[in-house]
Amino acid sequence: MFRGQGGAFFAVGGNRGDRVKLLGWDGDGFNLFSQRLERGEFTWPRTEGGVAHLTSAKISMLLEGIDWRRPQWSAKPERPS
């Protein structure tokens, strides 16, 4: 869970590690966002009791596919051909 400008968001990762879904309330309704990496995996922090609290910086790096423990790309982006 992390807090954005409009309230709390919940992030859920897929079993394969290449997908993440975010559910958040913006005051008018719920929003569901989904992100999938073509290569590499999302790096999640360790959890206590199945819950991890993420800062906005960590969630930004998570969604970009950057390992927040050592900021670099988990799979380097390729230029379109």
Side-chain angles (χ1 to χ4, degrees):
M1 179 176 92
F2 67 99
R3 296 204 179 272
Q5 291 180 350
F9 284 81
F10 296 89
V12 179
N15 290 339
R16 288 183 276 176
D18 65 342
R19 298 168 196 252
V20 65
K21 291 181 182 172
L22 303 173
L23 178 66
W25 174 261
D26 68 359
D28 291 328
F30 283 101
N31 292 298
L32 178 64
F33 303 96
S34 179
Q35 177 79 4
R36 181 180 67 86
L37 295 176
E38 290 187 21
R39 295 185 318 149
E41 295 180 345
F42 291 106
T43 304
W44 290 89
R46 291 187 181 178
T47 62
E48 294 179 20
V51 176
H53 294 278
L54 303 175
T55 63
S56 58
K58 284 183 182 178
I59 198 70
S60 294
M61 286 188 273
L62 173 77
L63 294 176
E64 289 292 329
I66 301 171
D67 185 346
W68 53 270
R69 297 170 297 184
R70 47 185 195 283
Q72 52 185 290
W73 294 96
S74 61
K76 295 197 183 229
E78 295 179 4
R79 291 191 176 178
S81 33

